[in-house]
């Protein structure tokens, strides 16, 4: 739900609450004005008067909130969603559809850098990113900060790789005078991208080492493995005991 829709929905709720409490307060006030002189002043009249006053106060508060919200400018309308965008949003609601869209985006980005000087390093970045995705759920504690830094670094690397490919496609359109300077800048960006991918791979390797060491038990064996071996031994002993009970005993000589 966008901010504009939320704004008007809240404004409508406040308007409805103002009308509702105004009607209740007016009815209780009229009942108090009629019944008090008719039956005299008593405990019931005090209850009528208190209810009427509380209803009028609530109506006034709701009207004040409504007037204050109405004086605030409404948020701008969001840009209209294209039919393709609505379809993508519907598909992304399902885990399988989200994975398919991620794979499609990955191939589209890979197609954008095909044949460039960073194509091989881009493939290395894809493999490292896939490996880190499998480790992210197990990076707890200090590893969570490293995962966030890796996500920011990956976004920067992908933008840098596409920038290198875009500059490279402009080589045929560059004059001879500016070709040398453009090639030098392109080479500097490509080297920076390759070094960044190497650093990213080292981070993924360090994350894998952290996950592996975090999974080792403090003692020699994990308690779950020890319980599994004990349960196996118990079941084997029970099976052998049942087999001996059901096996007919040999007749005495």
């Amino acid at each position: 739900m966008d901010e504009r829709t939320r704004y008007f929905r809240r404004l409508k709720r406040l308007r409805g609450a103002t009308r509702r409490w105004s009607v209740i307060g007016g009815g209780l006030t009229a009942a108090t004005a009629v019944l008090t002189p008719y039956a005299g002043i008593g405990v019931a009249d005090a209850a009528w008067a208190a209810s009427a006053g509380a209803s009028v106060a609530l109506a006034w508060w709701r009207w004040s909130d409504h007037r204050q919200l109405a004086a605030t400018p409404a948020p701008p309308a969001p840009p209209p969603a294209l039919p393709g965008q609505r379809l993508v949003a519907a598909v992304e609601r399902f885990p399988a559809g989200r994975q398919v869209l991620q794979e499609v985006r990955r191939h589209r980005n890979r197609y954008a850098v095909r044949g460039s000087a960073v194509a091989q390093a881009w493939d290395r970045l894809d493999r490292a990113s896939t490996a880190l995705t499998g480790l992210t759920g197990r990076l707890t504690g200090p590893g969570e900060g490293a995962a966030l830094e890796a996500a920011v670094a990956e976004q920067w690397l992908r933008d840098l790789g596409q920038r290198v490919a875009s500059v490279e496609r402009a080589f045929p359109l560059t004059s001879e005078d500016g070709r040398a300077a453009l090639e030098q800048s392109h080479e500097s960006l490509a080297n920076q991208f390759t070094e960044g991918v190497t650093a990213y791979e080292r981070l993924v390797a360090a994350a894998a080492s952290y996950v592996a060491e975090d999974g080792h038990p403090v003692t020699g064996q994990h308690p779950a493995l020890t319980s599994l071996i004990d349960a196996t031994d118990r079941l084997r002993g029970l099976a052998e005991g049942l087999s001996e009970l059901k096996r007919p005993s040999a007749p005495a000589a």
Side-chain angles (χ1 to χ4, degrees):
M1 183 187 303
D2 59 279
E3 293 295 331
R4 185 178 179 87
T5 304
R6 190 179 293 109
Y7 170 85
F8 284 108
R9 182 169 296 183
R10 183 184 175 194
L11 191 66
K12 183 178 179 180
R13 284 201 303 265
L14 287 176
R15 186 185 299 112
T18 301
R19 293 174 178 175
R20 182 169 57 255
W21 285 111
S22 299
V23 172
I24 295 175
L28 291 176
T29 302
T32 303
V34 171
L35 295 178
T36 298
Y38 179 78
I41 299 176
V43 178
D45 301 306
W48 281 105
S51 300
S55 301
V56 171
L58 284 173
W60 183 83
W61 283 336
R62 291 295 179 268
W63 173 251
S64 178
D65 293 340
H66 176 268
R67 184 174 54 185
Q68 183 178 2
L69 183 62
T72 305
L82 299 177
Q85 294 177 347
R86 290 196 294 266
L87 178 61
V88 169
V91 173
E92 282 186 338
R93 296 176 183 175
F94 304 96
R98 194 179 306 115
Q99 293 179 359
V100 171
L101 289 177
Q102 289 176 355
E103 190 68 17
V104 170
R105 294 190 184 104
R106 187 179 70 83
H107 284 288
R108 182 186 60 187
N109 294 333
R110 175 63 179 82
Y111 183 79
V113 298
R114 73 191 189 284
S116 65
V118 297
Q120 294 182 356
W122 187 277
D123 293 338
R124 289 166 49 196
L125 178 61
D126 279 342
R127 290 192 295 268
S129 176
T130 302
L132 185 62
T133 302
L135 298 171
T136 301
R138 295 177 174 83
L139 288 174
T140 57
E144 294 181 357
L148 293 177
E149 293 177 1
V152 175
E154 181 184 356
Q155 185 177 2
W156 167 71
L157 284 172
R158 294 193 181 278
D159 178 73
L160 180 60
Q162 293 179 356
R163 187 187 301 269
V164 172
S166 300
V167 171
E168 190 171 343
R169 285 193 293 269
F171 281 167
L173 307 177
T174 308
S175 62
E176 294 295 335
D177 299 336
R179 182 71 175 267
L182 185 60
E183 288 180 351
Q184 185 177 1
S185 300
H186 169 267
E187 184 179 1
S188 177
L189 291 176
N191 292 335
Q192 187 178 7
F193 178 78
T194 304
E195 292 175 0
V197 171
T198 302
Y200 186 85
E201 289 175 336
R202 292 174 182 171
L203 176 61
V204 174
S209 300
Y210 175 84
V211 172
E213 294 298 331
D214 188 52
H216 285 169
V218 179
T219 58
Q221 285 186 342
H222 197 278
L225 179 58
T226 303
S227 301
L228 182 62
I229 295 174
D230 293 341
T232 303
D233 294 338
R234 287 196 302 269
L235 287 177
R236 184 179 293 112
L238 289 173
E240 292 176 355
L242 290 174
S243 177
E244 291 179 359
L245 290 175
K246 294 182 179 179
R247 187 181 305 146
S249 58

